[in-house]
Amino acid sequence: MLVSAKEMLDKAKAGKYAVGQFNINNLEWTKAVLVTAKENNSPVILGVSEGAGKYMGGYDTIVGMVKGMIKDLNIDVPVALHLDHGSYEHAKKVIEAGFSSVMFDGSHYSIDENVEKTKELVTLAHSKGLSIEAEVGSIGGEEDGVVGKGEVADAKECKLIANLGVDMLAAGIGNIHGKYPDNWAGLEFEALDEIQKLTEAMPLVLHGGTGINEQMIQKAISLGVSKINVNTECQLTFAAATRKYIEEGKDLVGKGFDPRKLLAPGYEAIKQTVKEKMELFGSIGKA
Ligand code: 13P
């Protein structure tokens, strides 16, 4: 069922595990994530960046696809449909379109402007039953045109934003979208600890989930992370499986060119990646 992310994240926080946000790009992606969540009895968050939203035709198309799939495939675990790194304008658009959760990324504004805009959107999102995520500091690297310098969040600014009533908070702690460089210094656990202490029960969000090792993921969860975003890793495993199918010439045999056959290995690869992440995050059996 399509729900706001609030309850699943509060439960994750209390149970010391994290719910995965898996970004979607098309129908295969959406189906792979939803079916894997159902098979593993796990809550799940479908992330949609503005770029992916445009690619899929628009937010109404996505709401129709996700709601239809939940019904047709009898997806009986909690599913949140969430805008990833939303601008002020797009946050309003998805609230109208029927998403169940929204991220407003005001991290590139001054803290005063971030507070002002987040506050307005918290009221709007909550009046329509959506959960809302805000961001302080920034996530390094680039995702769908959203570029961040990777500043570590200031704990006092996190508290200011958390006090506005957001349901989850993304705080930059040295995490990066995309692949991590070999010389990456790792997550800033001291900063994470300080942020969580000041924001108390606030579920924290770890962006840039691709390539963070098991030990760091577990430590982050133990320090208060309740939502972990994964995007690039599904793209990489999908691409590798599709490449293998074509390099083995399978598209040239019989009706191997049929998209339902051509895209099947990539679909299975996404399912496998999502399952592995759910195991690592501890959300299996928690629906
Ligand atoms: P990765 O692409 O690094 O997994 O990051 C995903 C993310 O944080 C989405 O907001």
Side-chain angles (χ1 to χ4, degrees):
M1 51 279 202
L2 192 63
V3 295
S4 108
K6 175 158 178 57
E7 196 183 323
M8 65 172 89
L9 292 180
D10 287 347
K11 271 174 75 179
K13 172 117 228 143
K16 289 209 174 295
Y17 60 92
V19 178
Q21 172 189 307
F22 301 96
N23 284 44
I24 56 171
N25 289 287
N26 60 14
L27 183 140
E28 279 73 18
W29 239 267
T30 310
K31 190 172 161 196
V33 177
L34 289 178
V35 169
T36 308
K38 180 181 162 83
E39 285 172 358
N40 292 286
N41 198 30
S42 170
V44 77
I45 298 169
L46 301 176
V48 178
S49 67
E50 291 188 5
K54 193 172 167 199
Y55 174 79
M56 285 186 270
Y59 300 127
D60 290 323
T61 307
I62 296 165
V63 170
M65 173 176 70
V66 170
K67 282 191 174 167
M69 221 179 256
I70 288 174
K71 188 171 171 217
D72 287 341
L73 300 178
N74 189 23
I75 305 295
D76 50 2
V77 295
V79 176
L81 177 58
H82 181 77
L83 178 67
D84 191 25
H85 292 284
S87 60
Y88 178 78
E89 292 75 23
H90 282 248
K92 288 188 165 177
K93 282 187 188 176
V94 301
I95 292 173
E96 278 310 306
F99 274 46
S100 67
S101 191
V102 57
M103 174 182 190
F104 166 59
D105 179 356
S107 61
H108 49 284
Y109 293 116
S110 68
I111 184 66
D112 290 345
E113 201 167 354
N114 193 357
V115 166
E116 191 190 313
K117 288 191 161 66
T118 302
K119 191 173 174 187
E120 183 193 331
L121 290 167
V122 165
T123 308
L124 183 63
H126 285 173
S127 74
K128 306 261 183 179
L130 286 84
S131 46
I132 179 162
E133 172 179 347
E135 179 166 322
V136 179
S138 77
I139 317 301
E142 186 264 347
E143 184 187 64
D144 262 346
V146 178
V147 180
K149 291 199 197 98
E151 301 101 327
V152 173
D154 177 271
K156 290 197 190 75
E157 291 186 2
C158 289
K159 188 173 167 59
L160 265 181
I161 297 276
N163 285 349
L164 301 173
V166 300
D167 303 290
M168 55 201 127
L169 180 68
I173 51 164
N175 39 340
I176 298 172
H177 286 131
K179 289 183 185 174
Y180 285 86
D182 292 339
N183 62 353
W184 179 50
L187 295 174
E188 302 263 354
F189 288 115
E190 271 180 34
L192 175 60
D193 196 30
E194 196 193 346
I195 291 162
Q196 183 68 104
K197 281 185 179 137
L198 272 186
T199 58
E200 295 168 23
M202 175 61 54
L204 299 177
V205 182
L206 182 62
H207 283 247
T210 297
I212 302 181
N213 70 32
E214 202 173 317
Q215 202 191 358
M216 278 196 263
I217 292 283
Q218 273 155 5
K219 186 155 184 195
I221 293 173
S222 76
L223 290 173
V225 163
S226 310
K227 171 175 178 276
I228 303 177
N229 294 4
V230 177
N231 184 11
T232 307
E233 201 158 328
C234 289
Q235 298 184 359
L236 291 169
T237 51
F238 176 87
T242 309
R243 169 185 290 275
K244 184 165 179 281
Y245 182 87
I246 292 177
E247 281 184 349
E248 287 173 354
K250 292 190 174 155
D251 56 318
L252 302 173
V253 180
K255 281 216 167 183
F257 57 84
D258 177 337
R260 282 170 269 168
K261 293 202 169 84
L262 181 66
L263 298 178
Y267 169 82
E268 291 300 333
I270 298 170
K271 284 192 68 196
Q272 185 59 32
T273 301
V274 170
K275 185 177 178 194
E276 283 166 18
K277 295 296 173 194
M278 286 176 167
E279 271 164 1
L280 177 59
F281 302 165
S283 70
I284 288 187
K286 300 289 184 2

